Each structure stands twice: as structure tokens, then as C-alpha cells.
Amino acid sequence: MSAEATNPEAHPEARPELRRRGRTRLDLRRLGRAALLGPTSRDRLPDAIGHVAEAHRAHYPDADLSILRRAYLLAETSHRGQMRKSGEPYITHPLAVTLILAELGAETTTLTASLLHDTVEDTDVTLDQVRAEFGDEVCFIVDGVTKVEKIDYGAAAEPETFRKMLVATGNDVRVMSIKLADRLHNMRTLGVMRPEKQARIAKVTRDVLIPLAERLGVQALKTELEDLVFAILHPEEYESTRALIAAHAGERDPLPAIADSVRGVLREAGITAEVQVRPRHFVSVHRIARTRGELRGSDFGRILVLVGENADCYAVLGELHTCFTPVVSEFKDFIATPKFNLYQSLHTAVATPEGYVAEVIVRTRQMHRVAEAGVVALGNPYATATPGAATDPDEERVDPTRPGWLSRLLDWQQSAPDPDTFWTVLRAELAQDREITVFRADGGTLGLPAGASCIDAAYAQHGAAAHGCIGARVNGRLTSLSSPLSDGDTVQLLLAQDASSGPAAEWLDHARTPAARIAISSWLEAHPDRAMAPTSAARAPLSVVGARGGGGNAVADLPDATVRLAGCCTPVPPDAVAGFLVRGGAVTVHRVHCAAVAQMRAVGRTSVAVHWRATADCRVTLRAESFGRPHLLADLTEAIAREGVEVVSATVEPPVEQRVRHSYTLQLPDAAGLPALMRAMRDVPGVYDVSRV
């Protein structure tokens, strides 16, 4: 924003995307002279804002420009006499920022706020004046972009400014659109700053603004910011990349010929499409060079195919894969599965008969607009469906474009009052460049960063109540809280009924989201005695043993042999079983898929044929997983007794993270009653799983 401007021609070669797209460049000196002339007649726009009006009308032919005229006059009057460090009138900065947004397709309210974005911060204009003249929306956006006073916050001013801006972005994404354009213009004109200040601004841009531009889908700003930061922070690598691109410029470029071939293929197929060659920007070339080593001519750009409808994208893909040799590993479908930043396209790569491999991007024109401008291309997301419809001024504004990462950020920042913690965690959060979506058991969804665990899902879904989480089911299977989640998983989180339960210190090793880490750390700091306590007491399991039977209704083909049902797998009719002769002449019976069967055979135990008697009674061992609570053992035993089943033995393990495991060896009068018995045990309050051992 204010004061970071200088030579407008600094780093011109770091802006290849800008020149290739034919974007109008502001002549700051001419604009400065126009600005100094002051207001013009009321029937036309000032000359200095003509660029903005032209760019805006290209996207909105019927736009009312009168509000832009009034905003410009207020900005020019209030900034009059202020100069940038380059020596230009200060008004050239809000003009340049507004032009950037106008070219991206921002609507009139955004452009109005952009012209005024520094007035409250750097002049005597107040928010009340902005509200009275331009309305609540413009006032809200201007306030969101205005820095907090350094005199009030000291060294915490920058983190608190970003916190304020992100909170405002949660209610109106246009706040961050203006901030990104503002930083882009300041980065373009950073040359007269001291090198150490250039580096400081570039690092914040790299760590915070570029990830935000990526997440909001504003690729046109993100790519240019990347190149400008690259030139400042890595001058040697930047120069070598620039030399590489310059050397390629003197060679024959195979991409135009490949593009002509693609046009011919699509023309013959009757597909109306626009085919372009899109040169890579500096950072992209640098990344490709590091990945592939020596670059070929087709590596310096990509082919872009623009069509009218989604179905046309797949028709183009079919023709390309039919007429060229596809590189299967390079195919990605971001139309069926869009990225978390609104991006949609088909990506593929094809090999030509000459041996070149060309990357191809296929998208509709609307997808292209969103890919370039992201949330800026969505216009006004707050326009009511019915013009003139009344809205409740006290009702919280809901941004339909707010993605999951922004909602998470807004949640956890409330628990990070310390500016240093907020600043550190914000950078770490923005460094996560990929998201996954997991499904909740109740049918909702959770957006989480890649690598998130069940612990992260617990805090994302339940907040502070996740302190009592004791386990999870992922895709129907019990798993530990440390288990990482994958895109598309279904997760059911199991919460303890004991309100005093809390997280273990080990959870921090598996928590990836700031919300989870901050919540766990805060709880552990508030409960230092619990944080140091072991997760479970070193106690022996409680065992209750009844009269033990022998082999139940299993019979071995060995006269007078004692038959025993193995406790490891507790076979019951009609399980397929195998018998083995053990010490003392007894025969142990296992289910054929039991791991002990392979071990018996490996040590050379004698195999004995075993079959079931015609009687229906059987013995089985069941394991009940439950939350810890009083009288649980009594309730389970009563449920078993109601089914007419005898308890041969029972073992209760010590609680671990509020979970208790019960193992029962049971004598059933009829094996057919086993499913009903397991259902009865699951119906006991606190029991969440019953399974055979």
C-alpha cells in the first residue's frame, strides 16, 4: 500500500506473462500530469482514469462509471501533494491497482474500493465519509484493506494487519483481491528500496501473498508475483533462467507448428476451438529445468485449447489422444475433480512424430477466465437473487465462494491471540498447497490439508469437544487417531462420555492443522499434570474365569484324545477347522484361516482330522470395545445372560484414552444364536463394537 513504490521499470524482464497477454501498461508520468490537473468537467471521466474505464467496460459494457468518477475525485483530492518514493504523484498507485483489477474483470464495487483503498490509511478521509458517500460495501472493503496503526501495535502491526485483512476476507473475498493487486503494483515498483527492505517485502509476499493468490485462484497475479519475488530473493538463479529463456528465443520453437497440427485435427473433427501457445513464466521454466535437466523447445510453453462447453473439452481430449501419442502419466482431470481454488481444466501431454512432447491444457472460456482471475472473475458474490430484496443488516454475511481452508483459518486464528504465534502458524498453514475432502458419518464433508490425520478431522468437526476423542472408524474400520486420511475417506469419530477426558501429548506429533495443534497445546498447558501422566495405568487385566469346558462339540478322529478349542480364534460351527496334536496327547482345534495353523505346520505338528458333532451348542470368544463408564461390566453380563448364554471366562483390560476392551469366552446353546448375541451386546450403552476374536 502506501510508500513502497519506486522505479516503474524495475525488473521488466520478470514480467513475461504481462507482455505476452498484451496487458496495457500505465504511463505513470503521464498519469501523474493528468492527476495534477485536478478534476475535469462533470460530464466526462478524468483522463487519468480512462484506462480503468476502458478495461472495465470490456467486461461490463453497461457499467455505470459515475461512481468511479466520484471515487477517483475523492482519492485524487485527498492524496494531492503526496508523492511516491519514485517521485510520482501518489494517486498513480491506486490508479494502477484499480487497472490491474479492471483487467481481471472485477466489478464496479471492487474498483471503487480499490481507488479509495489508501485514503483512510494515508489521508484525512474517514470511514464514515466513505460510508456516507459510497455505501456500506465499499466502506467494509476499504476498512478491510486498511493497515492497523503501527503506533498502537508496534512490531505486531504486520501480523495484526494480515489477521484483520483475513477476517474481513472471510466476509468479503474482494478485500483480498485488492490486497493482492496492491502488492503486485508495489512489487513492480520496488527497485529504489534498500536491498534489505526489498528482501523483507519479497519474503512476506512469497510466504503469505502468493499462497493466498493460489488459494483464491488468481493465477494472473500469482505468476507475476512469483517472478518478481524470484528476481529479488534468488538473483543468480533468476539470471540463469533469464539467459535460458533468451537463448530459446533465438531458436526454432516447435510449439507453433504443434498448435497448427492441433487446430487441423480439431477442424477435421468439427470441433470449434481456439488454440494458443502459452509461454511459461520464469519460475515455471526454473522448476521444469530442475525437474527435467536439459530443456527442449517444447518445454518453454504449453498449448491452450479453449472451447465453449464442458462436453467439448472431453471431445478435444479424445481427438488429441487418437491423433497423437498420449503420455498417460501426464493426464489429469480437474473438471470432474476441481482443485480447491476453483481451478478446472483437462491436462494432458502428447508426443509428436518429430519426438517433441507438448503439454496441452483444455478448458472452456469460462474456466479460463476463472483460472486467470479466480474469485475476481465471479463478480459480486453478494448480489441478491431478487433485486431490491431486503436483507437483515445484523445477519452475518455468508460468502458462497469461501473455501474450506479460509473457514479453517478464520476458526483457528481466534485461538491464537499472540501475534507471533498467529504469524508463524499462518505461514505454516499457507505452505500446505493441497487439500483433501473426507466424508463425515452424518453425511457432511470436511476439507482438510493433505496429510491430515483423524485428530485433525476430530477438531475440524467437534472443536473443543474433540479433546474427548478416543478413536475413529475410517471407511467402516476401527483405526487409531494418528492414522492419516486420504481424499474421499469416510470418517466416524468416537467421543468419550467422560467430560474430563483430554488429549495426550503424543497427539501433537500427528496433528497437521493449526486448529488442532493450538487446541491441543492450550489444553496441555492448562492441565500440566495430565500432560505428563501416562496414557494408561500399568495394571494387569481383570479376569473373571468360570468353569472351563473342553472341546465343545468338536470331535477329533483320534480315539481317547482330549479336544480343546483354540482361544486365539474360538472356532464355532460351521467354521472350517483344522486340528493339531500338541503336548500331552491333546488335540487343539483352530479355524483354518487362523495364523496359528501355519505356525503349527511350520514346526511339524501332527495334523488331526476334526469335525463337528450334530449338536448345536458351541463355544466362542467375543471382544467388546466400549467407552469407560460405571456398571458397564454388569450391563454387558446381564445382556449376555438374557440371551441364555453361559460366561466361561471374562477379561477386562485397563482403560486406554477412555476406551475399555472386554473379552468374553461364552458357551452358546446354539451357534445360530451368535448374531443375536452380538447385536444384544452392541445395544448396551457405551459399546461401539463387538467382534469375534
Side-chain angles (χ1 to χ4, degrees):
M1 284 151 61
S2 55
E4 283 159 320
T6 109
N7 179 12
E9 297 304 318
H11 304 300
E13 58 276 36
R15 300 192 298 274
E17 282 286 321
L18 193 64
R19 294 196 306 272
R20 287 195 298 271
R21 293 171 187 156
R23 188 177 295 171
T24 305
R25 296 294 298 166
L26 280 175
D27 183 342
L28 296 184
R29 289 179 173 79
R30 186 178 70 78
L31 280 181
R33 289 193 297 272
L36 290 173
L37 293 177
T40 62
S41 61
R42 300 179 64 87
D43 59 348
R44 69 185 183 90
L45 287 169
D47 290 340
I49 204 174
H51 292 76
V52 174
E54 180 183 353
H56 188 40
R57 279 279 169 84
H59 294 277
Y60 299 91
D62 300 325
D64 179 8
L65 301 180
S66 62
I67 190 172
L68 294 181
R69 179 184 187 279
R70 290 190 288 115
Y72 169 75
L73 293 179
L74 177 59
E76 189 279 326
T77 303
S78 59
H79 286 300
R80 188 175 296 172
Q82 295 179 348
M83 309 296 286
R84 303 200 84 210
K85 291 194 175 182
S86 61
E88 299 298 329
Y90 192 84
I91 188 62
T92 58
H93 171 65
L95 276 171
V97 172
T98 306
L99 179 61
I100 291 170
L101 292 168
E103 289 172 335
L104 288 175
E107 38 72 58
T108 309
T109 301
T110 304
L111 302 185
T112 303
S114 176
L115 286 168
L116 301 170
H117 78 270
D118 274 344
T119 54
V120 174
E121 180 179 323
D122 293 335
T123 75
D124 294 332
V125 175
T126 66
L127 285 172
D128 288 338
Q129 288 177 281
V130 174
R131 181 181 293 105
E133 183 70 18
F134 300 99
D136 290 336
E137 278 195 317
V138 172
C139 178
F140 182 88
I141 298 172
V142 171
D143 183 34
V145 192
T146 301
K147 292 179 181 177
V148 301
E149 293 289 345
K150 194 164 187 177
I151 193 171
D152 296 329
Y153 287 88
E158 185 171 41
E160 291 303 326
T161 293
F162 272 97
R163 188 201 296 264
K164 174 191 173 192
M165 203 172 302
L166 287 165
V167 171
T169 299
N171 279 331
D172 197 323
V173 292
R174 295 174 290 186
V175 171
M176 190 55 64
S177 300
I178 293 176
K179 177 58 182 176
L180 292 172
D182 171 79
R183 179 54 61 96
L184 175 58
H185 183 245
N186 283 331
M187 288 295 296
R188 286 176 179 173
T189 57
L190 204 59
V192 297
M193 292 289 182
R194 300 186 309 274
E196 57 271 21
K197 187 167 186 180
Q198 288 187 40
R200 183 185 67 79
I201 295 172
K203 287 177 182 177
V204 173
T205 303
R206 176 196 64 193
D207 295 343
V208 180
L209 273 304
I210 288 175
L212 284 171
E214 167 73 17
R215 288 169 180 240
L216 293 173
V218 195
Q219 295 296 320
L221 303 188
K222 179 223 172 191
T223 54
E224 189 175 348
L225 284 171
E226 281 185 327
D227 285 347
L228 293 166
V229 167
F230 186 40
I232 292 172
L233 298 183
H234 305 282
E236 294 181 0
E237 294 179 354
Y238 169 78
E239 284 300 325
S240 64
T241 304
R242 186 190 62 78
L244 197 62
I245 294 174
H248 167 69
E251 301 174 353
R252 175 182 172 274
D253 188 349
L255 285 177
I258 298 174
D260 286 339
S261 299
V262 171
R263 289 189 192 97
V265 166
L266 300 182
R267 191 182 308 114
E268 290 179 8
I271 300 174
T272 302
E274 179 184 351
V275 182
Q276 304 175 6
V277 174
R278 300 265 292 180
R280 295 182 184 273
H281 64 107
F282 275 44
V283 171
S284 180
V285 171
H286 175 67
R287 289 172 181 157
I288 292 293
R290 292 182 62 181
T291 302
R292 302 179 184 174
E294 184 177 354
L295 299 183
R296 304 187 65 188
S298 58
D299 293 328
F300 287 87
R302 294 183 288 189
I303 293 175
L304 173 66
V305 181
L306 299 178
V307 294
E309 304 292 337
N310 287 19
D312 296 335
C313 295
Y314 292 98
V316 169
L317 182 71
E319 293 298 327
L320 292 177
H321 285 190
T322 299
C323 299
F324 298 92
T325 302
V327 181
V328 179
S329 61
E330 296 293 326
F331 173 67
K332 298 180 182 68
D333 187 346
F334 295 120
I335 296 178
T337 55
K339 289 187 178 182
F340 66 90
N341 61 358
L342 309 177
Y343 180 87
Q344 287 184 288
S345 292
L346 295 177
H347 287 214
T348 189
V350 295
T352 67
E354 295 78 19
Y356 292 109
V357 174
E359 294 186 32
V360 184
I361 300 173
V362 186
R363 59 176 70 136
T364 66
R365 289 175 178 81
Q366 174 61 17
M367 290 176 191
H368 181 59
R369 185 171 174 231
V370 174
E372 291 289 288
V375 295
V376 179
L378 300 181
N380 181 4
Y382 313 101
T384 56
T386 304
T391 57
D392 183 356
D394 297 326
E395 184 179 351
E396 182 181 357
R397 293 163 55 138
V398 178
D399 180 0
T401 68
R402 180 194 288 188
W405 65 266
L406 181 54
S407 295
R408 291 198 310 272
L409 189 153
L410 295 174
D411 289 339
W412 68 253
Q413 66 84 24
Q414 298 177 16
S415 305
D418 175 36
D420 291 336
T421 301
F422 168 77
W423 198 230
T424 301
V425 176
L426 175 65
R427 294 184 183 208
E429 164 82 355
L430 293 177
Q432 317 248 2
D433 60 354
R434 194 169 66 84
E435 280 212 347
I436 62 173
T437 299
V438 298
F439 296 93
R440 293 164 29 176
D442 59 7
T445 61
L446 296 172
L448 298 169
S453 66
C454 295
I455 293 172
D456 299 303
Y459 283 95
Q461 180 173 348
H462 297 292
H467 292 329
C469 196
I470 60 173
R473 291 178 184 272
V474 177
N475 302 324
R477 298 175 64 89
L478 281 172
T479 187
S480 65
L481 288 173
S482 61
S483 299
L485 296 167
S486 300
D487 198 32
D489 281 347
T490 297
V491 59
Q492 177 187 2
L493 300 159
L494 308 174
L495 300 183
Q497 297 175 341
D498 183 1
S500 65
S501 60
E506 294 79 11
W507 288 17
L508 288 172
D509 297 333
H510 307 288
R512 296 290 178 267
T513 58
R517 296 187 63 82
I518 291 173
I520 295 167
S521 299
S522 299
W523 193 93
L524 294 175
E525 290 173 5
H527 302 81
D529 53 332
R530 298 285 296 276
M532 299 302 295
T535 57
S536 63
R539 294 180 294 155
L542 170 65
S543 297
V544 181
V545 182
R548 294 185 176 273
N553 51 2
V555 179
D557 291 345
L558 190 64
D560 302 324
T562 301
V563 178
R564 298 172 183 166
L565 297 179
C568 55
C569 58
T570 59
V572 298
D575 291 341
V577 291
F580 294 92
L581 192 62
V582 296
R583 291 186 182 90
V587 175
T588 302
V589 180
H590 297 263
R591 282 190 276 176
V592 292
H593 297 297
C594 178
V597 171
Q599 297 173 0
M600 290 284 191
R601 288 172 177 159
V603 298
R605 295 290 187 188
T606 303
S607 178
V608 178
V610 179
H611 64 274
W612 298 108
R613 289 196 185 98
T615 55
D617 65 312
C618 67
R619 181 174 296 182
V620 65
T621 298
L622 299 180
R623 177 174 296 154
E625 304 272 359
S626 62
F627 302 116
R629 68 171 179 83
H631 310 298
L632 178 62
L633 179 60
D635 291 346
L636 269 169
T637 306
E638 182 180 351
I640 294 169
R642 282 199 301 267
E643 296 298 316
V645 175
E646 176 191 354
V647 178
V648 177
S649 66
T651 301
V652 182
E653 299 180 12
V656 177
E657 295 181 349
Q658 297 299 314
R659 286 185 296 174
V660 181
R661 177 179 290 175
H662 302 246
S663 297
Y664 296 92
T665 299
L666 307 170
Q667 187 73 33
L668 278 71
D670 190 340
L674 181 59
L677 170 64
M678 296 175 70
R679 283 195 299 270
M681 293 174 68
R682 289 193 186 101
D683 288 340
V684 173
V687 176
Y688 57 84
D689 190 39
V690 176
S691 59
R692 286 181 64 183
V693 174

